[in-house]
Amino acid sequence: MSDLGDKAKDFANSDKGEKASDAGLDKAGDAADKATGGGHGDQVDKAEKAADDEVGQ
């Protein structure tokens, strides 16, 4: 099972993985903005940034 985890980590650290994670985080952020009526945009942006900093390390 650790092989699968290693593969996922390697993918997340690749350029292709970074692009995929960025796209997913953007989509999640857009959904959060829509769900909150755009009233928490600053917090959503902070959460996106924090998640992006953690993914792909």
Side-chain angles (χ1 to χ4, degrees):
M1 190 68 146
S2 68
D3 289 340
L4 182 59
D6 290 339
K7 287 180 183 180
K9 188 174 181 179
D10 289 344
F11 176 74
N13 287 328
S14 71
D15 288 338
K16 187 175 181 181
E18 180 65 24
K19 288 178 185 178
S21 68
D22 285 349
L25 290 170
D26 286 342
K27 190 172 184 177
D30 291 346
D33 274 336
K34 185 176 180 181
T36 62
H40 300 283
D42 290 339
Q43 291 87 351
V44 170
D45 289 343
K46 281 183 184 179
E48 276 185 73
K49 171 85 171 97
D52 188 39
D53 289 346
E54 290 299 319
V55 174
Q57 286 190 6

